[in-house]
Structure formats: structure tokens, C-alpha cells
Amino acid sequence: MSVTVTEAAAKHVHKYLARRGKGVGVRLGVKTTGCSGLAYKLEYADAVAPDDVVFESQGVQVLIEPKSLPYLNGTVLDFVREGLNEGFKFSNPNERDRCGCGESFRV
């Protein structure tokens, strides 16, 4: 089981955590929502919760809640700039379908 981040994502996370002045990494998860069923959750984490599964990639701690791990196993978190837009992008090998608006996915 693993979740990794690209160099671009790691640079963004490190820069943001330094600006915040606190934090240990990012917490990833999934929630039930949208037309396809699941949506990604991403937040900056200030502490590791007792039940978090922790991966380290590119010097970034990636914290996963156990119930989300089967949906996120093998995911690569990237940070991309496309024109004037920028943000995190999930490359998830478990994803089978994505809704038309891009907000939710199905495994």
C-alpha cells in the first residue's frame, strides 16, 4: 500500500506549511458525494491522529484515514498549473469513472 507525491506537489506543500508556520503534512481521504459517488478530501494536517496511516514521499508526510486507504492505494498526488489555474491533481489507479464535471469519481 502506498500514496506518493510528485516533486511539484512536495514543493507546494513545503512552501504552504512554511507560510502557515505549522503543520506536519497533508491528510487525504474520500467522502461520499457527487454524481459518481466519491470525492477527494485534502487538508493540511497539524498533527498525526492515532489511527492515521502515514506515508512519507519527497519529504512530505501523507496521512490517510484507514477507511479511505482502499480507495487511495497507489494514488500519486501532483500539483499542476494549467493556464491561469493551479491545484492538486490525483492520479488514482483505482478510479474507474469520473463524472462529467470532474468533482467525483467511482472505483
XYZ file of all heavy atoms in Angstrom:
816
model
N 0.846 -1.177 0.000
C 0.000 0.000 0.000
C 0.889 1.236 0.000
O 1.852 1.306 0.746
C -0.888 0.036 1.237
C -1.877 -1.069 1.350
S -3.513 -0.352 1.177
C -4.494 -1.782 1.105
N 0.519 2.204 -0.815
C 1.293 3.438 -0.823
C 0.507 4.576 -1.459
O -0.381 4.362 -2.278
C 2.612 3.246 -1.573
O 2.372 3.122 -2.956
N 0.859 5.774 -1.049
C 0.391 7.014 -1.656
C 1.631 7.888 -1.750
O 2.387 8.000 -0.782
C -0.702 7.696 -0.805
C -1.081 9.032 -1.388
C -1.928 6.794 -0.695
N 1.871 8.487 -2.924
C 3.074 9.280 -3.116
C 2.726 10.678 -3.629
O 1.615 10.920 -4.098
C 4.032 8.602 -4.122
O 3.347 8.407 -5.359
C 4.525 7.271 -3.603
N 3.707 11.574 -3.525
C 3.562 12.925 -4.058
C 4.689 13.182 -5.047
O 5.784 12.640 -4.919
C 3.572 14.010 -2.956
C 2.406 13.833 -2.016
C 4.861 14.017 -2.189
N 4.418 14.010 -6.040
C 5.437 14.393 -7.003
C 6.308 15.491 -6.412
O 5.971 16.078 -5.381
C 4.807 14.910 -8.303
O 4.080 16.110 -8.017
C 3.898 13.862 -8.948
N 7.389 15.787 -7.089
C 8.274 16.855 -6.635
C 7.536 18.199 -6.615
O 7.696 18.981 -5.680
C 9.495 16.941 -7.548
C 10.523 17.942 -7.085
C 11.760 17.968 -7.969
O 11.981 17.016 -8.733
O 12.502 18.961 -7.880
N 6.703 18.448 -7.627
C 5.949 19.708 -7.673
C 4.981 19.822 -6.501
O 4.852 20.881 -5.885
C 5.189 19.817 -8.999
N 4.302 18.723 -6.173
C 3.373 18.733 -5.037
C 4.129 18.935 -3.734
O 3.688 19.689 -2.855
C 2.567 17.442 -4.995
N 5.272 18.279 -3.594
C 6.071 18.412 -2.373
C 6.537 19.853 -2.183
O 6.461 20.391 -1.073
C 7.269 17.470 -2.423
N 7.004 20.490 -3.245
C 7.437 21.892 -3.150
C 6.291 22.779 -2.699
O 6.465 23.650 -1.847
C 7.974 22.387 -4.500
C 9.339 21.881 -4.824
C 9.816 22.424 -6.159
C 11.170 21.866 -6.525
N 11.629 22.347 -7.827
N 5.105 22.551 -3.258
C 3.941 23.367 -2.884
C 3.574 23.150 -1.422
O 3.305 24.111 -0.702
C 2.758 23.060 -3.793
C 1.573 23.919 -3.499
N 1.485 25.233 -3.905
C 0.440 23.668 -2.806
C 0.344 25.741 -3.476
N -0.307 24.810 -2.810
N 3.546 21.902 -0.981
C 3.195 21.599 0.407
C 4.210 22.221 1.360
O 3.836 22.872 2.342
C 3.082 20.072 0.637
C 2.976 19.747 2.122
C 1.883 19.513 -0.120
N 5.495 22.047 1.081
C 6.534 22.620 1.952
C 6.408 24.143 2.030
O 6.509 24.725 3.114
C 7.929 22.241 1.456
C 8.303 20.818 1.716
N 8.327 20.253 2.973
C 8.660 19.831 0.862
C 8.694 18.996 2.890
N 8.887 18.703 1.616
N 6.174 24.773 0.891
C 6.042 26.234 0.860
C 4.823 26.690 1.666
O 4.901 27.628 2.453
C 5.933 26.717 -0.600
C 5.951 28.224 -0.757
C 6.100 28.628 -2.225
C 4.788 28.469 -2.938
N 4.813 29.039 -4.294
N 3.708 25.986 1.498
C 2.490 26.369 2.205
C 2.631 26.156 3.716
O 2.222 27.009 4.511
C 1.288 25.590 1.670
C -0.010 26.080 2.252
C -0.632 27.216 1.746
C -0.605 25.434 3.329
C -1.810 27.682 2.290
C -1.781 25.896 3.883
C -2.379 27.018 3.354
O -3.552 27.489 3.903
N 3.216 25.021 4.124
C 3.394 24.761 5.551
C 4.340 25.789 6.177
O 4.125 26.224 7.310
C 3.917 23.345 5.786
C 2.937 22.205 5.488
C 3.619 20.857 5.666
C 1.681 22.294 6.331
N 5.379 26.184 5.458
C 6.302 27.214 5.965
C 5.581 28.544 6.132
O 5.768 29.253 7.133
C 7.486 27.368 5.020
N 4.734 28.879 5.181
C 3.960 30.129 5.273
C 2.984 30.084 6.440
O 2.775 31.084 7.120
C 3.207 30.360 3.959
C 2.679 31.764 3.816
C 2.093 32.064 2.456
N 2.287 30.999 1.485
C 1.455 30.728 0.509
N 0.365 31.430 0.364
N 1.689 29.755 -0.338
N 2.363 28.929 6.673
C 1.439 28.763 7.798
C 2.169 28.819 9.132
O 1.592 29.165 10.145
C 0.735 27.397 7.735
C -0.421 27.319 6.808
C -1.014 25.903 6.831
N -1.935 25.757 7.947
C -2.066 24.660 8.668
N -1.312 23.619 8.442
N -2.939 24.603 9.643
N 3.421 28.361 9.125
C 4.194 28.323 10.357
C 3.907 27.117 11.228
O 4.380 27.030 12.357
N 3.149 26.168 10.721
C 2.858 24.941 11.456
C 2.357 23.888 10.489
O 2.007 24.193 9.351
C 1.828 25.176 12.553
C 0.467 25.612 12.046
C -0.499 25.808 13.193
C -1.854 26.255 12.661
N -2.831 26.371 13.717
N 2.325 22.647 10.952
C 1.798 21.547 10.148
C 2.810 20.442 9.986
O 4.016 20.672 10.010
N 2.297 19.216 9.830
C 3.152 18.047 9.672
C 3.063 17.439 8.277
O 3.854 16.584 7.926
C 2.830 16.966 10.730
C 3.113 17.473 12.127
C 1.409 16.456 10.591
N 2.074 17.846 7.487
C 1.898 17.285 6.150
C 0.489 17.494 5.660
O -0.181 18.449 6.046
N 0.042 16.576 4.791
C -1.314 16.658 4.243
C -2.095 15.412 4.620
O -1.535 14.319 4.728
C -1.320 16.832 2.705
C -0.793 18.177 2.302
C -0.560 15.734 2.004
N -3.389 15.598 4.844
C -4.292 14.480 5.142
C -5.190 14.296 3.919
O -5.840 15.232 3.473
C -5.123 14.772 6.381
C -6.098 13.647 6.717
C -6.763 13.832 8.056
N -5.819 13.446 9.111
C -5.280 14.295 9.980
N -5.585 15.562 9.944
N -4.429 13.867 10.894
N -5.187 13.077 3.384
C -6.025 12.747 2.239
C -7.108 11.781 2.669
O -6.902 10.942 3.546
C -5.202 12.070 1.141
C -4.037 12.831 0.556
C -3.369 11.995 -0.527
C -4.470 14.153 0.002
N -8.242 11.889 2.004
C -9.339 10.978 2.265
C -10.341 11.044 1.140
O -10.158 11.769 0.160
N -11.396 10.281 1.264
C -12.504 10.328 0.321
C -13.793 10.514 1.107
O -13.884 10.141 2.278
C -12.603 9.061 -0.564
C -11.400 8.934 -1.469
C -12.791 7.813 0.257
N -14.759 11.129 0.460
C -16.083 11.274 1.064
C -17.123 10.894 0.028
O -16.873 10.955 -1.178
C -16.300 12.706 1.562
C -16.228 13.760 0.478
C -16.386 15.143 1.054
C -16.236 16.189 -0.055
N -16.389 17.534 0.440
N -18.273 10.476 0.499
C -19.366 10.108 -0.385
C -20.091 11.376 -0.808
O -20.585 12.126 0.034
C -20.347 9.155 0.329
O -19.614 8.033 0.812
C -21.441 8.695 -0.604
N -20.126 11.605 -2.116
C -20.771 12.809 -2.644
C -20.792 12.753 -4.168
O -20.188 11.879 -4.774
C -20.029 14.088 -2.182
O -20.779 15.230 -2.562
C -18.661 14.183 -2.784
N -21.453 13.699 -4.776
C -21.409 13.871 -6.231
C -22.175 12.827 -7.004
O -22.767 11.918 -6.456
N -22.118 12.966 -8.329
C -22.873 12.067 -9.200
C -22.238 10.692 -9.345
O -22.917 9.727 -9.621
C -23.078 12.676 -10.579
S -22.146 14.106 -11.025
N -20.925 10.593 -9.155
C -20.259 9.295 -9.313
C -20.023 8.571 -7.993
O -19.631 7.414 -7.990
C -18.917 9.473 -10.029
O -19.138 9.817 -11.369
N -20.224 9.252 -6.871
C -20.172 8.554 -5.594
C -19.116 8.988 -4.609
O -19.372 9.061 -3.424
N -17.884 9.272 -5.047
C -16.805 9.617 -4.125
C -16.105 10.887 -4.582
O -16.019 11.157 -5.776
C -15.770 8.482 -4.055
C -16.251 7.147 -3.530
C -15.192 6.071 -3.766
C -16.583 7.238 -2.054
N -15.595 11.639 -3.621
C -14.808 12.835 -3.924
C -13.590 12.838 -3.016
O -13.619 12.316 -1.901
C -15.640 14.100 -3.703
N -12.524 13.421 -3.504
C -11.296 13.514 -2.727
C -11.407 14.621 -1.688
O -12.024 15.659 -1.938
C -10.108 13.823 -3.638
C -9.826 12.721 -4.627
C -10.120 12.875 -5.969
C -9.263 11.520 -4.213
C -9.860 11.869 -6.883
C -9.003 10.501 -5.120
C -9.306 10.693 -6.453
O -9.061 9.683 -7.342
N -10.782 14.374 -0.526
C -10.626 15.394 0.510
C -9.130 15.596 0.700
O -8.376 14.626 0.754
C -11.206 14.952 1.853
C -12.661 14.664 1.883
C -13.164 14.392 3.297
C -12.424 13.265 4.003
N -12.998 12.914 5.309
N -8.717 16.845 0.807
C -7.319 17.154 1.070
C -7.287 18.326 2.026
O -7.980 19.324 1.815
C -6.600 17.519 -0.225
C -5.113 17.833 -0.079
C -4.345 17.296 -1.277
C -4.853 19.298 0.083
N -6.516 18.196 3.099
C -6.354 19.295 4.045
C -4.958 19.223 4.632
O -4.328 18.170 4.639
C -7.410 19.245 5.147
C -7.350 18.006 6.001
C -8.507 17.892 6.992
O -9.499 18.605 6.837
O -8.386 17.074 7.906
N -4.473 20.358 5.079
C -3.180 20.387 5.746
C -3.383 19.909 7.175
O -4.357 20.277 7.823
C -2.581 21.793 5.689
C -2.194 22.140 4.275
C -3.059 22.839 3.447
C -0.979 21.724 3.746
C -2.719 23.127 2.136
C -0.634 22.004 2.444
C -1.495 22.701 1.647
O -1.161 22.973 0.340
N -2.476 19.062 7.639
C -2.609 18.444 8.958
C -1.609 19.059 9.925
O -0.435 19.217 9.600
C -2.384 16.945 8.856
N -2.093 19.397 11.118
C -1.232 19.948 12.164
C -0.674 18.868 13.078
O 0.297 19.108 13.785
C -2.002 20.981 12.993
C -2.336 22.217 12.174
O -1.574 22.531 11.229
O -3.346 22.872 12.464
N -1.283 17.688 13.064
C -0.818 16.586 13.917
C -1.247 15.263 13.297
O -2.198 15.206 12.526
C -1.405 16.717 15.319
N -0.548 14.213 13.645
C -0.896 12.867 13.207
C -1.914 12.303 14.190
O -1.674 12.282 15.396
C 0.356 11.963 13.163
C -0.023 10.547 12.756
C 1.408 12.532 12.219
N -3.069 11.887 13.686
C -4.095 11.264 14.529
C -3.674 9.827 14.830
O -2.958 9.197 14.033
C -5.451 11.294 13.819
N -4.116 9.289 15.966
C -3.709 7.929 16.356
C -4.027 6.856 15.317
O -3.280 5.892 15.178
C -4.493 7.673 17.642
C -4.837 9.014 18.171
C -4.963 9.923 16.975
N -5.116 7.016 14.565
C -5.484 5.981 13.595
C -5.010 6.281 12.167
O -5.279 5.512 11.252
C -6.991 5.739 13.624
C -7.800 6.972 13.255
O -7.262 8.092 13.335
O -8.981 6.822 12.893
N -4.294 7.382 11.940
C -3.792 7.709 10.607
C -2.784 6.669 10.125
O -1.957 6.190 10.896
C -3.087 9.069 10.596
C -4.048 10.246 10.579
O -5.201 10.076 10.143
O -3.632 11.348 10.997
N -2.854 6.353 8.841
C -1.808 5.583 8.179
C -0.896 6.629 7.547
O -1.354 7.514 6.828
C -2.398 4.648 7.109
C -1.300 3.894 6.386
C -3.402 3.696 7.735
N 0.397 6.551 7.831
C 1.334 7.598 7.415
C 2.291 7.072 6.352
O 2.904 6.024 6.524
C 2.149 8.123 8.622
C 3.094 9.231 8.188
C 1.225 8.601 9.726
N 2.373 7.819 5.246
C 3.354 7.558 4.194
C 4.235 8.787 4.106
O 3.787 9.902 4.361
C 2.670 7.337 2.842
C 1.757 6.148 2.806
C 0.389 6.306 2.933
C 2.263 4.874 2.641
C -0.460 5.216 2.904
C 1.427 3.777 2.610
C 0.066 3.944 2.737
N 5.482 8.598 3.735
C 6.361 9.742 3.506
C 6.861 9.657 2.075
O 7.316 8.608 1.620
C 7.539 9.765 4.470
C 8.384 10.990 4.246
C 9.024 11.541 5.499
O 8.583 11.199 6.607
O 9.960 12.307 5.341
N 6.739 10.787 1.363
C 7.154 10.842 -0.029
C 7.701 12.233 -0.301
O 7.048 13.234 0.035
C 5.950 10.544 -0.925
O 6.282 10.683 -2.280
N 8.881 12.309 -0.878
C 9.506 13.597 -1.207
C 9.618 14.501 0.022
O 9.511 15.717 -0.077
C 8.714 14.324 -2.311
C 8.502 13.559 -3.573
C 9.672 13.678 -4.538
O 10.570 14.475 -4.353
N 9.644 12.845 -5.557
N 9.761 13.911 1.198
C 9.883 14.697 2.421
C 8.565 15.203 2.976
O 8.537 15.997 3.905
N 7.440 14.738 2.415
C 6.104 15.155 2.859
C 5.416 13.967 3.523
O 5.399 12.871 2.964
C 5.246 15.647 1.668
C 3.806 15.886 2.079
C 5.848 16.898 1.051
N 4.859 14.207 4.708
C 4.042 13.169 5.341
C 2.640 13.229 4.750
O 2.009 14.282 4.726
C 3.964 13.386 6.850
C 5.187 12.941 7.575
C 4.954 12.836 9.075
O 3.885 13.123 9.594
N 5.987 12.413 9.775
N 2.175 12.079 4.266
C 0.831 11.942 3.718
C 0.056 11.082 4.709
O 0.397 9.922 4.936
C 0.854 11.289 2.325
C -0.552 11.164 1.773
C 1.746 12.075 1.377
N -0.969 11.656 5.317
C -1.770 10.977 6.334
C -3.085 10.526 5.703
O -3.773 11.325 5.067
C -2.049 11.920 7.499
C -0.854 12.744 8.008
C -1.293 13.734 9.061
C 0.227 11.840 8.523
N -3.420 9.256 5.898
C -4.643 8.688 5.321
C -5.475 8.090 6.439
O -4.956 7.326 7.258
C -4.321 7.570 4.306
C -3.274 8.005 3.288
C -5.593 7.067 3.622
C -3.735 8.975 2.259
N -6.760 8.416 6.446
C -7.654 7.753 7.395
C -7.870 6.322 6.892
O -7.989 6.097 5.691
C -8.969 8.513 7.526
C -9.665 8.751 6.220
C -10.774 9.785 6.292
O -10.619 10.774 7.009
O -11.794 9.566 5.620
N -7.876 5.343 7.802
C -7.922 3.932 7.392
C -9.068 3.579 6.452
O -8.877 2.792 5.522
C -8.050 3.180 8.715
C -7.410 4.076 9.714
C -7.738 5.476 9.252
N -10.250 4.158 6.644
C -11.379 3.782 5.771
C -11.188 4.268 4.335
O -11.784 3.733 3.420
C -12.700 4.303 6.344
C -12.849 5.798 6.308
C -14.195 6.250 6.813
C -14.318 7.755 6.631
N -15.632 8.246 6.780
N -10.330 5.273 4.124
C -10.089 5.784 2.772
C -8.966 5.056 2.049
O -8.850 5.145 0.827
C -9.747 7.278 2.825
O -10.833 8.044 3.278
N -8.126 4.347 2.778
C -6.940 3.734 2.186
C -7.240 2.804 1.011
O -6.555 2.882 -0.013
C -6.125 3.016 3.261
C -4.741 2.558 2.836
C -3.913 3.700 2.270
C -4.028 1.924 4.010
N -8.254 1.929 1.071
C -8.509 1.059 -0.093
C -8.827 1.841 -1.371
O -8.526 1.383 -2.465
C -9.712 0.220 0.333
C -9.710 0.265 1.814
C -9.129 1.603 2.190
N -9.423 3.017 -1.234
C -9.772 3.841 -2.398
C -8.578 4.633 -2.922
O -8.564 5.052 -4.077
C -10.894 4.819 -2.052
C -12.139 4.147 -1.539
C -12.491 4.223 -0.201
C -12.960 3.423 -2.395
C -13.633 3.608 0.283
C -14.105 2.801 -1.928
C -14.434 2.893 -0.586
O -15.566 2.268 -0.122
N -7.581 4.887 -2.067
C -6.449 5.746 -2.422
C -5.154 4.991 -2.677
O -4.162 5.596 -3.095
C -6.221 6.776 -1.308
C -7.356 7.763 -1.078
C -7.067 8.617 0.143
C -7.567 8.628 -2.307
N -5.133 3.691 -2.437
C -3.906 2.923 -2.601
C -3.338 3.101 -4.007
O -4.033 2.916 -4.997
C -4.160 1.443 -2.334
C -2.902 0.624 -2.416
O -1.823 1.078 -2.069
N -3.041 -0.598 -2.899
N -2.067 3.492 -4.094
C -1.409 3.683 -5.378
C -1.553 5.079 -5.961
O -1.001 5.373 -7.016
N -2.279 5.949 -5.289
C -2.517 7.304 -5.793
C -1.237 8.131 -5.766
O -0.446 8.050 -4.841
C -3.613 8.000 -4.957
O -4.831 7.274 -5.130
C -3.826 9.442 -5.384
N -1.077 8.949 -6.804
C 0.009 9.918 -6.875
C -0.623 11.300 -6.827
O -1.514 11.610 -7.617
C 0.834 9.753 -8.167
C 1.901 10.832 -8.266
C 1.456 8.374 -8.233
N -0.172 12.116 -5.875
C -0.668 13.478 -5.729
C 0.311 14.419 -6.431
O 1.499 14.426 -6.126
C -0.784 13.850 -4.248
C -1.282 15.247 -3.927
C -2.714 15.443 -4.413
C -1.190 15.506 -2.425
N -0.192 15.191 -7.374
C 0.630 16.131 -8.135
C 0.073 17.537 -7.931
O -1.073 17.711 -7.497
C 0.600 15.762 -9.614
C 1.691 16.428 -10.440
O 2.584 17.093 -9.858
O 1.663 16.273 -11.674
N 0.889 18.537 -8.226
C 0.441 19.927 -8.214
C 0.714 20.468 -9.600
O 1.850 20.455 -10.066
C 1.175 20.746 -7.148
C 0.604 22.120 -6.978
C -0.540 22.311 -6.224
C 1.196 23.217 -7.583
C -1.090 23.567 -6.073
C 0.653 24.481 -7.438
C -0.491 24.657 -6.672
N -0.346 20.899 -10.292
C -0.214 21.309 -11.685
C -0.727 22.724 -11.900
O -1.615 23.205 -11.192
C -0.968 20.343 -12.627
C -0.368 18.957 -12.577
C -2.433 20.272 -12.300
N -0.126 23.352 -12.895
C -0.583 24.666 -13.360
C -1.032 24.487 -14.806
O -0.272 24.015 -15.640
C 0.549 25.683 -13.282
C 0.889 26.060 -11.882
C 1.910 27.203 -11.848
N 2.075 27.667 -10.487
C 2.998 27.209 -9.656
N 3.835 26.282 -10.056
N 3.086 27.678 -8.431
N -2.268 24.865 -15.066
C -2.822 24.780 -16.414
C -3.409 26.135 -16.746
O -4.485 26.484 -16.258
C -3.877 23.679 -16.494
C -3.312 22.289 -16.241
C -4.370 21.211 -16.120
O -5.573 21.545 -15.986
O -3.995 20.034 -16.134
N -2.687 26.903 -17.544
C -3.127 28.266 -17.848
C -3.087 29.102 -16.583
O -2.072 29.173 -15.901
N -4.207 29.715 -16.249
C -4.292 30.540 -15.046
C -4.683 29.737 -13.811
O -4.691 30.269 -12.712
C -5.309 31.667 -15.252
C -4.967 32.672 -16.356
C -6.108 33.659 -16.548
C -3.664 33.384 -16.068
N -5.017 28.462 -14.004
C -5.458 27.620 -12.889
C -4.301 26.785 -12.355
O -3.423 26.364 -13.104
C -6.579 26.687 -13.338
C -7.796 27.443 -13.804
O -8.185 28.430 -13.201
N -8.389 26.994 -14.895
N -4.346 26.549 -11.059
C -3.376 25.660 -10.444
C -4.058 24.914 -9.315
O -5.014 25.400 -8.723
C -2.157 26.422 -9.922
C -2.450 27.390 -8.806
C -1.205 28.129 -8.324
O -0.199 28.176 -9.052
O -1.249 28.638 -7.200
N -3.572 23.717 -9.049
C -4.137 22.947 -7.947
C -3.613 21.533 -7.919
O -2.829 21.111 -8.775
N -4.050 20.798 -6.909
C -3.645 19.409 -6.757
C -4.412 18.531 -7.731
O -5.588 18.763 -8.002
C -3.893 18.937 -5.326
C -2.915 19.509 -4.341
C -3.284 20.534 -3.494
C -1.618 19.023 -4.279
C -2.379 21.063 -2.585
C -0.707 19.548 -3.377
C -1.091 20.569 -2.528
N -3.725 17.528 -8.250
C -4.330 16.576 -9.178
C -4.045 15.168 -8.657
O -2.910 14.865 -8.284
C -3.725 16.745 -10.569
C -4.274 15.803 -11.595
C -3.646 16.047 -12.951
C -4.192 15.061 -13.958
N -3.557 15.247 -15.261
N -5.065 14.340 -8.619
C -4.956 12.968 -8.140
C -4.870 12.020 -9.330
O -5.742 12.039 -10.195
C -6.191 12.589 -7.308
C -6.338 13.387 -6.053
C -6.982 14.619 -6.049
C -5.839 12.910 -4.853
C -7.123 15.352 -4.885
C -5.972 13.635 -3.684
C -6.617 14.859 -3.698
N -3.829 11.194 -9.376
C -3.727 10.111 -10.358
C -3.940 8.819 -9.580
O -3.039 8.333 -8.903
C -2.359 10.115 -11.031
O -2.187 11.294 -11.782
N -5.159 8.302 -9.677
C -5.576 7.166 -8.854
C -5.830 5.953 -9.743
O -6.760 5.951 -10.546
C -6.848 7.554 -8.091
C -7.307 6.504 -7.129
O -6.898 5.356 -7.184
N -8.188 6.879 -6.221
N -5.028 4.893 -9.598
C -5.224 3.705 -10.436
C -6.522 2.959 -10.127
O -6.949 2.125 -10.933
C -4.009 2.832 -10.100
C -3.631 3.239 -8.717
C -3.939 4.715 -8.635
N -7.165 3.254 -9.011
C -8.424 2.598 -8.639
C -9.636 3.266 -9.269
O -10.727 2.704 -9.253
C -8.592 2.608 -7.112
C -7.418 1.974 -6.418
O -7.102 0.829 -6.667
N -6.736 2.734 -5.580
N -9.445 4.459 -9.797
C -10.548 5.229 -10.370
C -11.005 4.576 -11.672
O -10.220 4.386 -12.587
C -10.051 6.657 -10.638
C -11.130 7.668 -10.790
C -10.556 9.077 -10.917
O -10.009 9.595 -9.921
O -10.664 9.633 -12.010
N -12.291 4.242 -11.751
C -12.854 3.591 -12.940
C -13.654 4.553 -13.806
O -13.787 4.337 -15.002
C -13.743 2.424 -12.533
C -13.022 1.353 -11.774
C -12.045 0.602 -12.684
N -11.220 -0.293 -11.896
C -9.903 -0.216 -11.807
N -9.242 0.711 -12.472
N -9.225 -1.051 -11.072
N -14.199 5.578 -13.186
C -15.050 6.511 -13.914
C -15.057 7.833 -13.167
O -14.885 7.858 -11.946
C -16.474 5.945 -13.994
C -17.357 6.688 -14.971
O -16.824 7.383 -15.857
O -18.592 6.571 -14.844
N -15.249 8.914 -13.885
C -15.305 10.249 -13.294
C -16.532 10.950 -13.860
O -16.841 10.794 -15.033
C -14.032 11.011 -13.652
C -13.913 12.361 -13.015
C -12.540 12.940 -13.285
N -11.561 12.454 -12.340
C -11.258 13.073 -11.209
N -11.847 14.203 -10.907
N -10.369 12.573 -10.380
N -17.204 11.722 -13.025
C -18.391 12.419 -13.500
C -17.980 13.514 -14.493
O -16.823 13.918 -14.542
C -19.202 12.996 -12.342
S -18.443 14.400 -11.531
N -18.928 14.002 -15.256
C -18.650 14.997 -16.285
C -18.071 16.289 -15.762
O -17.250 16.928 -16.418
N -18.475 16.691 -14.561
C -17.966 17.952 -14.000
C -16.606 17.772 -13.335
O -15.944 18.738 -12.979
C -18.958 18.553 -13.015
S -19.229 17.552 -11.542
N -16.156 16.523 -13.159
C -14.850 16.256 -12.579
C -14.782 16.330 -11.073
O -13.716 16.258 -10.486
N -15.914 16.470 -10.411
C -15.926 16.622 -8.947
C -15.959 15.294 -8.201
O -15.589 15.242 -7.050
C -17.140 17.465 -8.516
C -17.068 18.913 -8.939
C -15.884 19.641 -8.309
O -15.646 19.459 -7.109
O -15.213 20.388 -9.028
N -16.393 14.226 -8.842
C -16.479 12.956 -8.130
C -16.020 11.823 -9.042
O -15.888 11.979 -10.246
C -17.897 12.711 -7.607
O -18.814 12.624 -8.673
N -15.773 10.664 -8.418
C -15.282 9.509 -9.148
C -15.879 8.233 -8.585
O -16.494 8.216 -7.533
C -13.740 9.453 -9.114
C -13.177 9.155 -7.751
C -12.792 7.874 -7.406
C -13.010 10.155 -6.799
C -12.264 7.586 -6.150
C -12.485 9.888 -5.552
C -12.115 8.610 -5.230
N -15.665 7.143 -9.339
C -16.160 5.817 -8.943
C -14.999 4.834 -9.019
O -14.146 4.953 -9.901
C -17.273 5.396 -9.889
C -17.938 4.121 -9.581
C -19.016 3.751 -10.596
N -19.205 4.725 -11.648
C -20.361 5.320 -11.951
N -21.438 5.007 -11.298
N -20.453 6.178 -12.918
N -14.974 3.895 -8.086
C -13.919 2.854 -8.121
C -14.520 1.538 -8.543
O -15.696 1.331 -8.504
C -13.190 2.706 -6.773
C -12.385 3.943 -6.487
C -14.135 2.381 -5.658
